[in-house]
Amino acid sequence: HNSPLSAAHAIRDLELRWPLADPALRHNAPLFATDAKYKPFRHSLLDKVFRAFIGLIVPRERVSQYSMHSFRSGLASALLLAGKSHPMIQALLRWASPESLSRYARLQPQTYGEQLIAASSVEITGRTSLNLPRLDNDDIVAQCQALLQQADADNA
C-alpha cells in the first residue's frame, strides 16, 4: 500500500534509499542507527534532541514539562475525547497492551464534568441505590456545604 501516511511505506523508502551494507545484518541491526557500525540511538541522545526541538516551540522555562511520551499521551487523550474505541487507540498508537491506554490517555476536565452531569439524569433502580436520597437540589447542596463549613469551624 503506497499511502504517504503509511509508516511501513516510509520505512520501506528509508531502507531502499539507505540500505545496510550487508542486508544479512537487518535481523539484528537497529532500524535507526547513529553511525555506519549500526550503533543504536541512546535514550539520552534522543532526549537531548527532543528537548532542543521542544525548545523551538515552547518557552525555555516550559521545556522540562514535556517528554517524548507527551505526544503519545496527548494523542491518546485526543482520540479518547474524539470517541474512538480503546482497541482503536491501542492500534493507532501501536501499544502492545490495553494497560497503556489507562496509563497515557487522560480524561479532560470538561469531559469529566459532562459525564457527572449526564450521570445525574440517569435513573438507578438497583437495590442499594434506592436507599440513597437524590442530591440534585441546590438547597440540599447548600445544606451540605453549611455542614462542612461548620465541621471545619469546629475542628479549627
Side-chain angles (χ1 to χ4, degrees):
H1 182 290
N2 284 334
S3 168
L5 298 178
S6 168
H9 174 80
I11 291 171
R12 181 204 64 195
D13 288 351
L14 287 172
E15 191 72 24
L16 290 172
R17 184 164 181 176
W18 294 289
L20 294 175
D22 180 0
L25 295 173
R26 173 45 61 217
H27 183 68
N28 292 320
L31 187 57
F32 304 104
T34 60
D35 60 21
K37 295 179 183 179
Y38 311 114
K39 182 178 171 186
F41 282 98
R42 298 256 182 247
H43 186 274
S44 58
L45 174 63
L46 292 174
D47 193 53
K48 184 177 181 179
V49 170
F50 172 80
R51 293 198 180 283
F53 169 72
I54 288 296
L56 298 172
I57 302 169
V58 302
R60 184 179 303 245
E61 63 273 6
R62 291 186 48 210
V63 168
S64 64
Q65 296 174 0
Y66 298 94
S67 73
M68 289 183 275
H69 286 288
S70 297
F71 291 100
R72 294 186 98 187
S73 179
L75 180 55
S77 298
L79 290 167
L80 186 63
L81 188 58
K84 301 305 174 196
S85 70
H86 290 196
M88 176 60 75
I89 296 170
Q90 182 181 341
L92 289 170
L93 291 167
R94 299 173 185 249
W95 285 332
S97 71
E99 288 77 28
S100 297
L101 184 66
S102 62
R103 184 174 176 194
Y104 289 107
R106 307 280 193 266
L107 190 61
Q108 302 304 301
Q110 179 181 352
T111 305
Y112 178 82
E114 289 169 354
Q115 295 303 315
L116 290 178
I117 290 169
S120 70
S121 65
V122 175
E123 183 178 342
I124 305 289
T125 58
R127 178 177 264 190
T128 304
S129 299
L130 290 174
N131 297 326
L132 294 173
R134 198 103 177 144
L135 297 176
D136 60 355
N137 295 327
D138 288 341
D139 58 328
I140 294 174
V141 173
Q143 290 174 16
C144 289
Q145 287 175 331
L147 288 171
L148 289 172
Q149 288 172 348
Q150 183 60 47
D152 283 343
D154 292 344
N155 289 330

